[in-house]
Each structure stands twice: as structure tokens, then as C-alpha cells.
Amino acid sequence: MKKLFTLLAFLAVVMGAKAEWVEDYNIDYSTKENFPFYVMGYVPEWVDGVMTDFGANYRYATQADLDGDGDAKWKDGESSVGTAMAGTTEYQKVTGAGPYWHQYIVAADVPMELDGNYIVKVVVKASETVNANLQFGNWGSLKETGVTIPASEDFQEVEWEVSGCLFAGKGFICIQPGSSTATIEWKSLIVSHNQKAQRPTTWQEWLTSDGQPVIVETTSAAIPTYMGNAETPWGDLANVKFNDQENNYLICAWGKEKGVNLNENEGWDPFPATIEAEEGNESNHVFVVHGQPATTDGDPSAWDNQFWIQSPKNWKEGEQVKIHFRYRANRDGVKTNTQVHKQNPSDYKHWAAIGDITFNTTWQEFDQVVSWPNGAGDEGWSIAFNLNPEVKDAVDFYFDDLSWCSMKLDEGYFVAGSNPDTGLEYDFDNAIEFKEDGDMGGAPLFTATIGEKNAYVNQIMISTVRGNDASFKSNTLKPKNAIKNDPDDWNDYEPASLAKLNLPGSGIWKIYLVPEYSSMAFEMLEGEVKEAIDVVTNQTEIIVKGVERDDLSDTFNNETGERTGREEEGGTGEAWDNQFWFKANRTLAKGEVTHLKFSYKANKEAKTSTQCHGNPGAYMHWGAINDVNFTTDWQEFDQDFTVPAEADGMQTIAFNMAEIKEACDYEIKDVQWYLKDESLDEGKTWENLINATGTDNFWVKISAGTDPYQYEDATGISNIAAEKNAGSAMIFNLAGQRVDNGYKGIVVKSGKKVMMK
């Protein structure tokens, strides 16, 4: 009976089991005493076990920052009305110069998978309805989603959906209420992801006593002795240096103790971890780092003492890895950070690995399946424990039973297809394997056919493994140029995570692959080839009335942390106080080549810097189309724009229109933004990224502390024509709404900000 049940379960998987929502993370805020996450300028307060956001009338800063010279220093009219705690750090609750645009993290160390679909359920209440932006992922790979927190007098469950996660690894969730002054109270949060049943998984154990992998069929099977249990002495390996790349991967545990193993540069190097008998259990041996007192000044002291779990191989972004170890220290509550390092221990690769690990005097066990994080692929070999981020005095750290497991998957070349137009979804379990089919230039040629009648495909993914969805996605291949329906057009390819290949038409496709030359070609056997379309020109005349900004703040937070080529004025203004955005009809992937063309002028000379954003206002990368210099004469911008790797998943190009201090009227018209393909005739494209008419693709923000909004011809604050028709006496609030002379607050009148009392 058991065998029959197992067979039925397996068939259900193979034939397409129904997807289920699987809980990944939950937090009950009442279990915390104060804000437990990274502070981003705002610190929600704990009121009777409820995490409370008191709105944009307040900001939070440490006393040292307020008394310093940075952006957080005191501003005119401000005072402290209380304090809030984040961990052990006290922040002053400041008011008097708001509303302050604000954001804060609501969840951290959330397991995330590339391209995953998630539900975020929160128990929350708000004093008024709040339209906010939700960021899901990690720095540089954030999925932006607009969400609503409905007004309510009682706590209610609110559900938000996040589709197409851009990050793999342990990520965070950030809420951006912006300039909303509503009070928001948070009770709990749950994250779940939509996952169909996977094939039964076989894990491959890497750390063995003879350096060879062992297949572990199930978690209950006996695991042979391996190096990670500290029972095998290092022997000759004890003399291997950390930078000996021919041998260092044979050592699964490395240590570093301040002042030990000194080098000629007055530093100290990693060494094969010390092995000692476990205290109170002399028959068992463990790895030990006898941490020495760390430097007390500056973050680098976090890695004065370190430990590494070294892998015998590198991993790819999004690849699923099963990691296990036991750990303890000789004192309680010692928090450590983890990073990804390259093959050489101490050769940094990526700032995040498996999250923070807190050591206690009792043994704890880490046993998790981890998606290898974005930015750590290809060169990422080891997990580094920075042992002194908080505790600087001497602490002994103990590790045991270290192991890495990777999934035992089908290896070769496989293709899966979909058709977003018809709703046909990927079936990675049944991805089609490429078969050898002759040769090409003396190298083996492989082919596969994807699609069938009534199930045409127009998008595919090609991977080097099969047997697990996340692993399939993290081991994909991506051609370097646009795909053509031509078996003689050989396209070089390279490894890439989550490479979804758009085909030039829906149908049945034959794919040719020559791995020895890293080349592929495509041929439609049946279906409809997509025809190139005309490039559209949106002739909307966009007029953005940038208001005069405040003096610049003391510091300018750019890649270098310096203010380059800009005056120091000591105010609160920033170049992004006035902004304009081109918003594409979809998110864009790194490496996509687009073309942007538009006409532009202003009523005075004005430089605008540009950035890559997700949604308007959701910063991703400091560089986009470089600076655009406006003059009083019409000019034409006509350039290619390739999406930078740092802006993978971007959707908008932002113009910072407060680079100059003075109020300025900017005009833009005749906009084209489309995918670029050199093989097409001039004026043709595969896809226009903006609409031919309307203003859906244009967004503006006027004045500091305001939120972006969609440009509309009737929006007075951004439309000179409307102001001219109605006369110069028209008055608008900072949301762009016309108001009368009885309005109280900051308004825009004749292009300038004034206070009406």
C-alpha cells in the first residue's frame, strides 16, 4: 500500500500538481521590545506590543547625528518630543519641519527565490487610508509593488501579492508610506510563496573524509563520516595556506584570530581551523576560534576574528544549497554577521549569506535550504562568520557537523517553454532534453523541439540542469544578441540566472545548440512569426514647473559619498526635490538595449542628472542616460540606453530637476522609447516601451517631501498652458490641486513656494 501511495504521489508531481501557498516567514511584533531591523531614518515605536508608525510629522535620529554635520542634523524649528529604541540604540523623535518622507523595514531575513510569487499578509490598522510602496528583495534587486493600507478602527488582515521576485537569498520587506501623516499600527506579518509540488529531491553531500561527494538519498539515510565533523585531523593539510587555490577547498573549516598567524603587512591570515575535544564530551571533536579582544573603533573590527565554512565548489545565483552546522559560544547572546567569500577565505565577495547568527552557551543547529544570494554567484565559495560586530571582548566560538548539500539533478541541456499571451506556463519538471544530432564544425550539435499544436510557445528558458524549479532558473543560458528565426544565425550565449528568452513569434521551435562554441540558433517549424512594428512617437507636450528648492544639504549621498561639482550651502534641498520620469510599460532586464529619443528645452539653462528607478521614486542606480542639459532652444536627445546590471528590473528613468536652485519650466515632447535591434529597418522595433498617446508613461514630483504622481494635462502644477489660460493668480497645493486664497499651508503661486496663513 505504501508503494502504491508513493507511486500516485510521484505521478501527481510529474503530471502537474496544483500549486500551494507555503509559509516562509512570520513575525509577531508583540514578541519584540523595540524596532529590530536596520534603521532607514525612521524608527517605529512599540506601544503595548504593537509596532506603531506615527506618520510623516516625525523623523528619528541619534543625538550624535543631530549634533553632527550630516543630513540628520537639527533643522530650523525642530525639537525632540520623545525617544524610540532600535536594538540598544536610542533615537530622538524629532518634529517641527515635516512632513518628512519616511520608510522602514517590516521584515528581515525572509527566504526568497528568483521569480517567486509571494503573498504578504499583515494584521494592521491605520487612522486613514495609506497608499504606499512595498519593496521586496534586497539592495539592488528590489521588486516594487504599490499597496494600500485601508483605514480602520480595528485591526484587520490585509493581503498583498508580490509577483516575479528579483532576488534569491535572505531578503527584506520595506514599506514606504512616503509623506503620509497617518498612524499605522502593525501586529503581525506572514510571508508565503506559491509553489507547486517539486520532484522528490536527492541531495549530494560534498564534505567527505576522502574529498569525494557522497549521494545521500534521504535525510534519514546514514551519512558517512565526512571532514565537517572535525573527527579527521588535518594532517598535511594543516600546512595549506588560505590562498593556495589548488588545495584550500579541501579544508572545510578555516579560522582567524586577531594577532595570530601574522603576515608581513602587519595583519593576520586565516589558517585551518583548530580542532579540539568538546568540553564535557571528550569523545567528540569540534572546530574552535579562540576570539581575541577586537578593535573597538569602526566596523572593520567585526572581522578581527572570523570563521569560514568552505565549500569544494562555487555556487550560482539562485541555486539551492542545503547548509548544516552546529554552533555555540562560551557566552550568551553573541550576534555574528555572515558574508559570502571567494575561494580564498578572507577574499570578500558579497555582504549577505545566511543572515545574522546569534550564539549561546548551549548548542544550536542550523539546517536550512538556502537560495544562493544575488551578487554571490560564480565566485562565491564560502560562508564567512564575522565574529565581532557587537561584542568586542574575547569569546570562544565552537562549530561542528559542517556540511554543504546540493541537489542531485539531471545534467545536460534542457528547454522549457511558455506563452504569456495564452496563459501557457512553464513546466520545468518536464523540460525537454537536447539530444545529440550530428556535428557543427567538428563539434557535437544538440537539438530540441519545443511547442506543439494548440500549445505554441513564444518564450523559453534553456538550462543545464533539470529536477528543481529554482535550480533550473539559476542555471540558464542567455544569448548575447536578439534571437532571429534563422537556423544559420548562430548566436553566442553565456550563463545567466533567470534568462527568459523572448522568441520572434509563437509556434513550434527547433533550437540548435553547440556547447563547445557556446552558440545557439533558432528555427520556427510552425506558427506565426512576429512582425516588426513601427516605432511610435508620443507627441504629448509635457511641461514640468520645477519650483525653487532650498539650499543644498551639507552632504550629497552618491556612490562616493561626496558632493562633486556642487556648491555647499548648508540647507535641506536635494537635486531630486523636483523630478520627472519616463515610465516603461514593463520592467526591463539588465543588458536590454533600448533607444530613447525626445525633444526638450527650458525657460533657462538647467542641468538635470538622471537615475534608474523601479517605480517612480524607487531609486535603483545612480546612472541612466547621463546628464541632460536644457537650454532655451529646442534640442533633440537621440541615444541608445542599455539597462545596467545594477538596475535589473528597473521601469523608469528619473530626471533630477532641482540640480539648479532656481524655479525652472522644463518642456519635453515627441518621445520615443523602444527596444533596439540593429537588424531591423530604421523606424521599426519589436516592442515600443511607451504608448503612442496619453500620459500613462510620464510622472512628475514637485517640491521636497511630496510623492510622485502621474502627469496629466489638467494638472495645474505641471501645466503652463492651464496657468496661462486662467491667469497668474492661480494657486496650487503641493499635490498639484488648485486651491483658493483661503487655503492654509505651503502652496505654489506664480511658480514659487509660499506659505499661506
Side-chain angles (χ1 to χ4, degrees):
M1 185 67 182
K2 181 178 179 181
K3 289 183 178 179
L4 176 59
F5 176 81
T6 303
L7 174 62
L8 292 174
F10 176 76
L11 289 174
V13 171
V14 172
M15 297 179 68
K18 183 179 179 181
E20 297 181 343
W21 288 102
V22 179
E23 183 176 310
D24 300 299
Y25 174 96
N26 68 76
I27 182 169
D28 177 353
Y29 297 112
S30 69
T31 63
K32 309 296 181 182
E33 296 181 355
N34 54 52
F35 189 66
F37 307 124
Y38 176 74
V39 173
M40 304 169 70
Y42 195 88
V43 182
E45 301 179 45
W46 255 244
V47 180
D48 298 328
V50 175
M51 186 172 74
T52 305
D53 164 8
F54 284 107
N57 287 327
Y58 306 96
R59 70 180 180 98
Y60 297 79
T62 65
Q63 190 65 51
D65 286 339
L66 289 167
D67 294 336
D69 295 324
D71 289 339
K73 74 174 186 178
W74 291 109
K75 298 172 176 60
D76 290 343
E78 287 188 330
S79 61
S80 175
V81 293
T83 61
M85 298 295 296
T88 59
T89 303
E90 182 179 79
Y91 288 80
Q92 296 294 322
K93 182 180 182 180
V94 178
T95 190
Y100 308 94
W101 191 93
H102 70 300
Q103 62 180 351
Y104 47 92
I105 291 174
V106 293
D109 288 336
V110 181
M112 298 179 181
E113 294 181 7
L114 281 176
D115 206 35
N117 297 324
Y118 293 85
I119 290 291
V120 180
K121 292 182 180 180
V122 293
V123 176
V124 66
K125 70 176 178 178
S127 60
E128 59 185 69
T129 298
V130 178
N131 293 316
N133 187 52
L134 189 77
Q135 294 183 322
F136 191 96
N138 220 317
W139 309 113
S141 302
L142 290 167
K143 179 68 177 183
E144 307 272 352
T145 304
V147 299
T148 298
I149 305 173
S152 63
E153 294 183 358
D154 299 315
F155 283 100
Q156 59 180 325
E157 184 175 88
V158 180
E159 185 174 295
W160 302 317
E161 184 172 350
V162 179
S163 300
C165 179
L166 301 172
F167 179 75
K170 294 292 185 73
F172 64 79
I173 303 174
C174 175
I175 192 77
Q176 296 177 324
S179 299
S180 170
T181 57
T183 296
I184 308 172
E185 299 175 68
W186 305 82
K187 251 190 175 180
S188 63
L189 178 147
I190 297 174
V191 181
S192 304
H193 77 279
N194 190 254
Q195 176 181 289
K196 69 179 181 64
Q198 300 284 292
R199 287 185 178 189
T201 299
T202 298
W203 289 96
Q204 176 170 285
E205 175 66 54
W206 283 97
L207 299 177
T208 65
S209 57
D210 58 1
Q212 300 300 314
V214 169
I215 302 302
V216 181
E217 294 295 341
T218 68
T219 55
S220 61
I223 300 176
T225 299
Y226 55 89
M227 294 170 65
N229 63 10
E231 297 305 321
T232 304
W234 294 126
D236 290 341
L237 290 177
N239 298 315
V240 170
K241 303 299 183 184
F242 72 99
N243 55 3
D244 177 1
Q245 292 191 315
E246 291 187 6
N247 296 293
N248 64 5
Y249 67 89
L250 299 175
I251 298 172
C252 65
W254 290 82
K256 187 177 82 168
E257 299 171 6
K258 184 176 180 181
V260 178
N261 200 24
L262 295 171
N263 58 42
E264 64 274 13
N265 298 318
E266 299 183 356
W268 50 98
D269 293 331
F271 50 83
T274 302
I275 297 176
E276 296 180 0
E278 180 184 353
E279 183 179 349
N281 183 15
E282 300 297 320
S283 63
N284 186 58
H285 291 79
V286 295
F287 302 110
V288 183
V289 173
H290 294 292
Q292 305 302 307
T295 305
T296 56
D297 296 328
D299 289 340
S301 64
W303 48 86
D304 275 354
N305 299 284
Q306 288 180 289
F307 179 80
W308 289 267
I309 301 177
Q310 175 74 311
S311 168
K313 69 182 290 285
N314 60 338
W315 306 90
K316 297 181 179 179
E317 291 183 357
E319 192 169 3
Q320 292 199 314
V321 186
K322 189 175 185 181
I323 299 172
H324 176 270
F325 57 91
R326 296 171 62 234
Y327 60 104
R328 65 173 286 265
N330 65 346
R331 61 178 289 180
D332 286 325
V334 184
K335 186 179 84 170
T336 67
N337 307 135
T338 63
Q339 300 171 334
V340 173
H341 283 204
K342 299 178 185 178
Q343 182 176 340
N344 297 346
S346 81
D347 191 358
Y348 170 85
K349 171 62 179 177
H350 187 65
W351 62 272
I354 56 174
D356 295 340
I357 304 294
T358 299
F359 287 67
N360 294 313
T361 54
T362 57
W363 283 102
Q364 300 178 75
E365 191 169 304
F366 184 96
D367 190 26
Q368 293 185 17
V369 175
V370 175
S371 290
W372 203 240
N374 291 47
D378 298 331
E379 296 181 296
W381 285 63
S382 60
I383 294 175
F385 292 76
N386 299 325
L387 302 178
N388 298 107
E390 293 184 349
V391 178
K392 307 301 182 184
D393 49 339
V395 177
D396 294 334
F397 296 86
Y398 304 91
F399 297 82
D400 196 13
D401 295 341
L402 318 179
S403 79
W404 301 77
C405 292
S406 61
M407 291 181 177
K408 184 62 178 175
L409 303 169
D410 298 334
E411 296 183 0
Y413 298 94
F414 308 90
V415 60
S418 74
N419 191 326
D421 297 336
T422 63
L424 179 66
E425 297 183 352
Y426 285 106
D427 180 5
F428 299 112
D429 278 345
N430 295 304
I432 295 168
E433 184 174 9
F434 282 78
K435 301 294 185 182
E436 190 168 349
D437 189 11
D439 68 272
M440 176 67 67
L445 170 69
F446 295 83
T447 62
T449 300
I450 184 77
E452 56 188 49
K453 286 187 180 296
N454 302 317
Y456 284 171
V457 300
N458 59 11
Q459 187 184 87
I460 61 170
M461 298 178 75
I462 301 173
S463 181
T464 58
V465 298
R466 179 181 63 186
N468 171 266
D469 290 3
S471 298
F472 188 103
K473 295 174 185 178
S474 67
N475 287 274
T476 52
L477 304 176
K478 182 178 181 179
K480 295 182 178 180
N481 300 299
I483 294 173
K484 298 178 183 177
N485 175 28
D486 184 351
D488 295 323
D489 183 60
W490 289 96
N491 201 335
D492 291 342
Y493 66 78
E494 59 189 356
S497 294
L498 196 62
K500 296 181 178 180
L501 313 183
N502 293 315
L503 301 171
S506 297
I508 301 173
W509 287 85
K510 186 173 184 178
I511 306 164
Y512 304 84
L513 205 64
V514 184
E516 188 171 324
Y517 300 145
S518 297
S519 293
M520 58 177 64
F522 303 83
E523 180 184 13
M524 178 182 279
L525 304 180
E526 178 183 316
E528 297 180 1
V529 176
K530 182 169 65 175
E531 299 291 338
I533 58 176
D534 292 334
V535 171
V536 302
T537 301
N538 189 310
Q539 297 180 335
T540 301
E541 294 189 17
I542 306 138
I543 305 173
V544 180
K545 291 182 64 66
V547 299
E548 181 177 346
R549 66 158 166 77
D550 193 5
D551 290 346
L552 291 172
S553 61
D554 283 346
T555 59
F556 179 61
N557 183 18
N558 206 331
E559 292 290 300
T560 62
E562 299 174 352
R563 185 181 299 287
T564 304
R566 291 171 59 182
E567 69 273 28
E568 299 248 3
E569 300 177 356
T572 61
E574 293 292 358
W576 47 85
D577 287 352
N578 304 312
Q579 283 181 295
F580 169 75
W581 291 267
F582 290 131
K583 183 175 183 180
N585 289 330
R586 63 169 176 84
T587 59
L588 302 174
K590 62 182 179 182
E592 284 198 275
V593 181
T594 73
H595 193 82
L596 189 61
K597 183 178 180 180
F598 57 90
S599 298
Y600 63 104
K601 76 180 184 83
N603 66 346
K604 63 183 64 175
E605 291 189 357
K607 182 186 83 171
T608 64
S609 55
T610 63
Q611 301 170 334
C612 299
H613 286 205
N615 285 326
Y619 169 86
M620 293 184 71
H621 184 56
W622 59 269
I625 56 174
N626 300 317
D627 294 342
V628 178
N629 295 304
F630 286 71
T631 67
T632 55
D633 296 322
W634 283 106
Q635 302 178 76
E636 188 174 86
F637 185 94
D638 191 4
Q639 291 183 18
D640 290 346
F641 167 62
T642 301
V643 179
E646 298 88 346
D648 189 29
M650 67 168 286
Q651 193 165 2
T652 60
I653 295 175
F655 292 71
N656 295 323
M657 289 181 162
E659 287 281 1
I660 66 169
K661 179 179 174 63
E662 299 84 4
C664 183
D665 301 335
Y666 302 85
E667 299 184 52
I668 298 173
K669 66 178 182 179
D670 298 335
V671 180
Q672 298 177 355
W673 193 9
Y674 58 90
L675 286 187
K676 178 72 175 291
D677 186 342
E678 295 283 0
S679 67
L680 297 179
D681 294 335
E682 186 175 352
K684 294 290 186 178
T685 183
W686 297 118
E687 181 183 4
N688 286 293
L689 297 174
I690 63 169
N691 301 328
T693 59
T695 59
D696 289 351
N697 303 108
F698 310 126
W699 288 66
V700 294
K701 183 188 87 169
I702 302 298
S703 184
T706 60
D707 293 329
Y709 57 92
Q710 185 181 324
Y711 179 88
E712 295 182 10
D713 290 341
T715 303
I717 198 169
S718 59
N719 188 0
I720 284 179
E723 183 181 85
K724 288 180 177 177
N725 291 338
S728 60
M730 292 182 66
I731 305 170
F732 302 93
N733 64 19
L734 294 182
Q737 300 165 324
R738 184 178 176 183
V739 297
D740 59 27
N741 288 322
Y743 184 86
K744 300 294 190 291
I746 299 175
V747 299
V748 178
K749 184 176 183 180
S750 300
K752 295 184 178 181
K753 287 189 294 183
V754 297
M755 173 64 77
M756 295 183 62
K757 301 180 179 179

